[in-house]
Amino acid sequence: CGRCRAWLPSFAPPAALRLPFSLDVIVRDEVESATGIHAAALASPVRVVDFPAGLHQRRYDPETTYVLYPTADALTAAEVVDTHGPDQLSALTVLAIDSKWNNDGAILGHPSLRGLRHLRLRAPPSRSRIWRSHAKAIDGCVSTIEALYCLLREVHDELGRRAPPPREPPPPVEGLLLL
């Protein structure tokens, strides 16, 4: 249920995907269209933060918090792993903005997010594959859950390149696209 953020009693929840970092999904618009809510149901540790009320209660550490948003100076997953080291990813928090593509400015300008570094996808999909994609979306705009899926793939690929053999396979991230 998007409102109460819990599985309905008639559905057995799948095993939660363990994320290599903490994730806060900042939801601005209607929860019915917020795909980031899916991450809260399917992965851990994930918090859903309602905008703007929920952000007033948050203080993010600029050393360990990244906003998943493509800006000119945004880092890639590989650069974040270089900065913190593979063993320190669990100390990081990634903020995912779940908003209509043209409403993100208010969230990015919120005092709780000022001064935080940005994180971008190295190779974003050229277009969204989500069923409710907006006709006016520009190339590279994807839904929140698609961006998280791509980010996790990039993080797992980067960790796989750095791991000494034998490598343990990363957990399957495709489960994020279940809903």
Side-chain angles (χ1 to χ4, degrees), residues 44-57:
S44 156
V46 179
R47 292 186 298 192
V48 177
V49 179
D50 294 312
F51 180 84
L55 274 184
H56 293 301
Q57 304 163 11

Side-chain angles (χ1 to χ4, degrees), residues 31-118:
V31 294
E32 293 83 8
S33 63
T35 63
I37 299 273
H38 301 176
L42 298 168
S44 156
V46 179
R47 292 186 298 192
V48 177
V49 179
D50 294 312
F51 180 84
L55 274 184
H56 293 301
Q57 304 163 11
R58 302 271 186 252
R59 297 292 174 258
Y60 293 108
D61 182 351
E63 296 298 317
T64 60
T65 306
Y66 292 86
V67 179
L68 180 58
Y69 194 83
T71 56
D73 59 345
L75 301 174
T76 63
E79 292 168 319
V80 171
V81 173
D82 283 342
T83 301
H84 296 281
D87 298 331
Q88 297 301 313
L89 294 183
S90 63
L92 302 181
T93 300
V94 172
L95 308 180
I97 297 173
D98 200 319
S99 170
K100 290 184 174 72
W101 292 317
N102 58 351
N103 287 343
D104 49 16
I107 297 174
L108 290 170
H110 192 276
S112 295
L113 274 62
R114 285 191 201 132
L116 299 179
R117 292 175 286 185
H118 289 193

